[in-house]
Amino acid sequence: MGEMQYRKEIDGLRALAVLPVLLYHAGVPGFQGGYVGVDVFFVISGYLITSVLNGEIEKGGEFSFRRFYERRARRLLPALFSVALVSSIAAWFVLLPNEMKDFSQSLVAISAFASNLHFFRKTGYFESATELKPLMHTWSLAIEEQFYFLFPACLLLCRRMPRLYWALGLVGIASLLHSQFNGPLHPSANFYLLPYRGWELLLGVFLSLAGQSFSARTPLPHWLTNLGEGLGLALIIFSIAAFDHTTAFPSFFALVPTVGTLFILGFTSSNSPLGRILGSRPLVAIGLMSYSIYLWHQPLFAFFKIRYDSVLPSLLQWTLIGLSLICGALSWRFIERPFREKGLFSQKEIFQYSIFGMILLTAIGLAGHFSHGMSFRPSFGKLPKNYLSYLSPLPQDNTGIDLNACVSEAASLCKRADFSDS
């Protein structure tokens, strides 16, 4: 089979995935189902990882777990750690102690590649409070990281014992059925955890395997490929426009955008009508930067939504979308690209920097957790420990704070406080 050839239309498909996510979080009308862009990413990830791993395995002895995880570290961690550190600086000035404590816990979870477990324990994705969590979007990265940890060994076993491919297929079917029938009983787990989401990644896996099995066969007629890619695009657009927070998701509904992604990956080529659109320079450029764009958009939106009490003015919505694209472009150019250059950073250095980054984020997170959200910060040192006292009709409490002034002048603080110390 050999090494996988670069397909620029896949980068264009990444752009089709990340832009709806931005528009969804910005609250732009018509994109209430934009969250399905994450599901598109899952299918693409399963497809590409399998194609790359199979290419290395078929070369004979070239596959190495160490090199695989080096590539994942180069690809994912520098930009992720940079966004987390910048967000930590902003959080110092913006977040209330209870919010800072939750943020600090998410830093530790990111370091352990388990932020999906953290947010699963804390809240559901469609709850309004999640809009104010700067690192909430890292749940999807954690799912992919957990998949990357398990999948290479599974693929190697399947290559040596082909019958295990059937077992892997059964795992995917079980994951989908688990999401459909058990998900409503555990909606937060259904959204955040790998056992409920694994089938989406496995869809891409089996498309890659099927593509390699049939790669030597006669190409399909043009009318069929055009129909297939057109249907795939229609399914994704439909899910973006028709789904919203009331849609039972993920479930069989998630088959709409994921099967649409399969059709585009399976039928589109660089010379097909949709392939030429997706392969255009603007979409390819956004697709190349899509990871950094995705990383930066949530902290930007979250901190500004805190400032504007979750309702962003229309002009600010579009400003933040543009700012997300700019930050993503800068991050891709000055963080992602350099760390991918083996001539600039050796394998040893990448692992050293990765470990240092995990230790640093863990240290900041633990400090925030055990200091009760860094309540010693000058901006919040005068706040009463129990934010519920803000709602008291009395003019003062034993701290001497004018509570009526608090209610009238900083009501958003009262709304943001969850009155818990978990």
Side-chain angles (χ1 to χ4, degrees):
M1 176 64 189
E3 189 175 350
M4 178 185 175
Q5 297 297 313
Y6 171 67
R7 295 176 56 186
K8 61 182 180 179
E9 66 271 15
I10 294 182
D11 279 323
L13 182 58
R14 284 192 174 111
L16 186 62
V18 75
L19 291 176
V21 174
L22 264 67
L23 295 168
Y24 166 72
H25 282 135
V28 176
F31 290 88
Q32 62 272 14
Y35 56 84
V36 303
V38 174
D39 304 86
V40 174
F41 275 124
F42 283 156
V43 178
I44 294 174
S45 294
Y47 175 80
L48 291 178
I49 287 298
T50 306
S51 300
V52 170
L53 289 177
N54 260 327
E56 291 185 350
I57 293 171
E58 290 186 357
K59 283 185 177 180
E62 287 203 13
F63 174 74
S64 162
F65 282 100
R66 188 179 180 88
R67 282 201 303 271
F68 173 78
Y69 292 115
E70 174 201 351
R71 288 198 303 271
R72 292 300 89 203
R74 288 181 185 274
R75 172 78 172 90
L76 301 175
L77 299 186
L80 174 61
F81 290 165
S82 299
V83 170
L85 288 173
V86 172
S87 298
S88 299
I89 296 172
W92 171 275
F93 296 100
V94 175
L95 298 186
L96 290 170
N98 66 302
E99 296 167 332
M100 188 65 176
K101 185 173 182 178
D102 181 76
F103 175 86
S104 300
Q105 292 168 350
S106 70
L107 288 177
V108 178
I110 287 173
S111 303
F113 310 125
S115 57
N116 60 328
L117 301 177
H118 168 72
F119 292 112
F120 150 68
R121 188 176 66 86
K122 287 287 185 178
T123 185
Y125 182 78
F126 295 110
E127 294 180 13
S128 59
T130 61
E131 296 179 353
L132 309 181
K133 296 180 183 295
L135 299 178
M136 191 278 302
H137 61 322
T138 59
W139 71 269
S140 63
L141 306 181
I143 284 184
E144 291 199 18
E145 289 159 349
Q146 292 156 15
F147 178 78
Y148 296 150
F149 180 76
L150 297 171
F151 180 67
C154 292
L155 184 61
L156 283 174
L157 286 174
C158 290
R159 297 281 300 186
R160 294 174 182 176
M161 294 177 283
R163 290 186 178 182
L164 289 180
Y165 283 124
W166 292 100
L168 194 60
L170 291 175
V171 169
I173 294 172
S175 174
L176 173 59
L177 295 177
H178 191 39
S179 175
Q180 171 65 27
F181 297 109
N182 199 33
L185 302 176
H186 308 283
S188 189
N190 188 33
F191 200 96
Y192 288 113
L193 301 187
L194 180 61
Y196 297 86
R197 290 285 194 168
W199 66 271
E200 300 183 57
L201 290 142
L202 288 174
L203 278 179
V205 168
F206 281 101
L207 175 65
S208 176
L209 296 174
Q212 293 183 17
S213 299
F214 295 100
S215 59
R217 298 193 176 186
T218 304
L220 296 172
H222 290 301
W223 69 267
L224 185 56
T225 58
N226 294 346
L227 177 63
E229 66 179 10
L231 179 59
L233 180 62
L235 288 173
I236 293 177
I237 292 176
F238 173 80
S239 61
I240 292 170
F243 292 179
D244 59 23
H245 69 279
T246 66
T247 305
F249 201 92
S251 62
F252 287 164
F253 283 112
L255 286 169
V256 179
T258 54
V259 170
T261 306
L262 280 185
F263 282 1
I264 292 177
L265 289 172
F267 288 107
T268 302
S269 67
S270 59
N271 296 319
S272 66
L274 181 59
R276 287 192 290 270
I277 295 173
L278 293 178
S280 62
R281 286 189 177 182
L283 289 181
V284 169
I286 293 173
L288 288 171
M289 301 180 295
S290 59
Y291 176 61
S292 281
I293 293 171
Y294 180 77
L295 284 178
W296 282 102
H297 89 280
Q298 176 64 19
L300 288 170
F301 284 121
F303 286 122
F304 275 90
K305 284 179 179 179
I306 288 172
R307 168 64 179 82
Y308 286 92
D309 198 19
S310 298
V311 180
L312 298 177
S314 179
L315 179 60
L316 183 57
Q317 290 177 349
W318 292 103
T319 301
L320 290 177
I321 290 171
L323 191 56
S324 298
L325 296 175
I326 293 171
C327 289
L330 294 175
S331 177
W332 175 76
R333 176 62 181 84
F334 296 106
I335 300 176
E336 280 196 67
R337 282 186 60 184
F339 275 96
R340 291 191 197 183
E341 293 290 336
K342 294 184 179 180
L344 294 178
F345 299 97
S346 67
Q347 183 184 83
K348 180 180 179 181
E349 288 172 328
I350 286 295
F351 287 136
Q352 287 176 339
Y353 293 152
S354 298
I355 293 172
F356 173 77
M358 288 186 283
I359 293 174
L360 178 60
L361 290 186
T362 299
I364 296 173
L366 291 177
H369 173 78
F370 287 109
S371 64
H372 302 285
M374 300 183 181
S375 55
F376 55 82
R377 289 172 290 160
S379 301
F380 304 105
K382 295 182 179 181
L383 291 179
K385 292 182 179 179
N386 182 3
Y387 302 133
L388 189 58
S389 63
Y390 278 9
L391 303 179
S392 169
L394 298 177
Q396 290 187 337
D397 69 354
N398 57 13
T399 65
I401 292 179
D402 185 341
L403 296 177
N404 288 330
C406 167
V407 171
S408 61
E409 298 177 10
S412 62
L413 299 182
C414 307
K415 293 179 182 180
R416 284 161 55 195
D418 62 4
F419 317 129
S420 66
D421 194 30
S422 59

